Amino acid sequence: MVPPIGRHALRPEAAAALTLLLGWILAQVAGAAGAANVLVAYNLTWKSTNFKTILEWEPKPINHIYTVQISTRLGDWKNKCFHTTATECDLTDEIIKNVNQTYMARVFSYPVGNGHTTSSDVEPPFTNSPEFTPYLDTNLGQPRVHSFKSVGTKLNVTVEDARTLVRINGTFLSLRDVFGKDLTYILYYWKASSTGKKSTKTNTNEFLIDVDKGENYCFSVQAVIPSRRTNSKSPESSTECTSQEKGIFRELSFIIGTVLFVVIIFIIVLLVSLYKCRKARVRRSGKETCPLNDA
């Protein structure tokens, strides 16, 4: 006759296995509960200008921390900004490796207890970012006028290419180095006494335009990538103006200064000559008044 099962204690091996199983189940439940209480990141946004690229998100952490991962479409995920309480992560060093590649990022939320992250085999919640292709999506920074010169009926304006963090053989590239002929500059110009604007384009860095002689002109420049469907233009540069009056004043000042210098030299020479003549007359007059020697 088989004795009732309930009257016999479990063997030590079975009890140990059961304890381990229950512990594992409790750990999973605790981990899931901790993850459920964590706020998931949202509003993931790429902020990028001239390839300087930062991923931002919300909310500010309360009882959790974040870890960011970035990958190309191949799925080669890399950890960045590991266990951070910040809500942004600089990913420039990854995206500049190949600015024509398309990147994805995701932000994991890890629960924190007693100042330490809760260890669990359960994958923490995460949120995926939109895709980001640096060559197509980075904003163009505000350009800067390097120099300008107005002579007669010609105005020459040179634009300075912004430097980027993209490197080849340790050398930082400019926007022109990266985009080549895809980069165009627009010059907006107008008479200082008028509000009517004109514009002209170049795929180099220099403008040479016809203007009315003796007129002051103001202008600004803008960088453009015509091949882009969106996000194709930079902000306009600060406005610069020529000043014909200043140029004329400088020329007149030079002429007047030259004339004054010649006049001063003439006066000095004249005074020296007069002094010498007077001195000579005094000597001659002294000789004439001297008594004759006795014979």
Side-chain angles (χ1 to χ4, degrees):
M1 182 176 181
V2 178
I5 296 176
R7 294 183 180 181
H8 288 263
L10 293 174
R11 293 181 179 179
E13 296 84 354
L18 182 59
T19 300
L20 290 173
L21 177 61
L22 290 174
W24 181 83
I25 293 173
L26 290 173
Q28 297 300 309
V29 172
N37 293 328
V38 169
L39 293 176
V40 179
Y42 62 90
N43 196 22
L44 274 64
T45 307
W46 295 95
K47 301 289 186 180
S48 180
T49 300
N50 291 347
F51 301 103
K52 172 71 174 179
T53 302
I54 295 173
L55 182 70
E56 297 180 352
W57 64 90
E58 296 181 79
K60 293 289 185 181
I62 299 174
N63 62 341
H64 62 284
I65 53 179
Y66 297 111
T67 290
V68 179
Q69 289 186 341
I70 186 171
S71 171
T72 63
R73 284 176 172 170
L74 298 176
D76 49 341
W77 293 100
K78 296 179 181 179
N79 284 333
K80 305 292 291 186
C81 303
F82 190 72
H83 284 178
T84 179
T85 57
T87 54
E88 65 177 32
C89 183
D90 191 336
L91 299 175
T92 303
D93 60 341
E94 291 296 329
I95 67 97
I96 61 173
K97 293 176 181 177
N98 186 346
V99 297
N100 293 289
Q101 185 66 264
T102 297
Y103 296 89
M104 297 165 287
R106 57 190 183 186
V107 179
F108 288 88
S109 299
Y110 289 87
V112 177
N114 299 322
H116 301 284
T117 57
T118 302
S119 60
S120 171
D121 294 331
V122 177
E123 184 176 61
F126 65 88
T127 306
N128 289 317
S129 74
E131 291 186 342
F132 178 74
T133 306
Y135 192 90
L136 300 177
D137 298 327
T138 193
N139 294 318
L140 299 175
Q142 184 183 43
R144 192 176 77 87
V145 174
H146 179 264
S147 63
F148 62 92
K149 184 178 182 180
S150 179
V151 179
T153 59
K154 296 293 183 181
L155 173 61
N156 178 254
V157 179
T158 303
V159 185
E160 180 178 341
D161 279 328
R163 308 301 296 179
T164 75
L165 295 178
V166 182
R167 294 188 299 271
I168 291 182
N169 298 326
T171 302
F172 291 101
L173 305 183
S174 68
L175 280 184
R176 176 68 64 193
D177 294 329
V178 177
F179 289 106
K181 294 298 183 180
D182 278 351
L183 177 63
T184 296
Y185 287 110
I186 300 178
L187 176 72
Y188 301 99
Y189 63 101
W190 59 96
K191 289 182 181 179
S193 58
S194 172
T195 57
K197 282 188 177 182
K198 295 181 180 180
S199 65
T200 184
K201 298 180 180 179
T202 181
N203 57 8
T204 67
N205 291 66
E206 190 169 359
F207 296 91
L208 183 63
I209 59 173
D210 294 321
V211 294
D212 294 337
K213 187 175 181 179
E215 287 283 350
N216 290 334
Y217 279 82
C218 295
F219 57 90
S220 63
V221 295
Q222 184 177 44
V224 182
I225 306 292
S227 61
R228 288 183 174 182
R229 293 183 179 180
T230 59
N231 198 30
S232 61
K233 295 183 178 181
S234 75
E236 290 184 28
S237 71
S238 57
T239 300
E240 302 281 358
C241 293
T242 64
S243 180
Q244 298 293 337
E245 287 81 1
K246 289 183 179 179
I248 294 172
F249 179 77
R250 284 194 296 268
E251 292 178 4
L252 289 175
S253 297
F254 177 77
I255 294 172
I256 293 172
T258 303
V259 172
L260 287 175
F261 178 77
V262 172
V263 170
I264 291 171
I265 295 299
F266 175 77
I267 291 173
I268 292 173
V269 171
L270 180 61
L271 290 174
V272 170
S273 298
L274 290 174
Y275 174 76
K276 288 183 176 180
C277 289
R278 183 178 179 182
K279 194 173 181 180
R281 283 199 301 270
V282 169
R283 285 200 301 268
R284 286 198 299 270
S285 176
K287 288 181 180 180
E288 291 175 356
T289 58
C290 288
L292 295 176
N293 295 328
D294 295 335

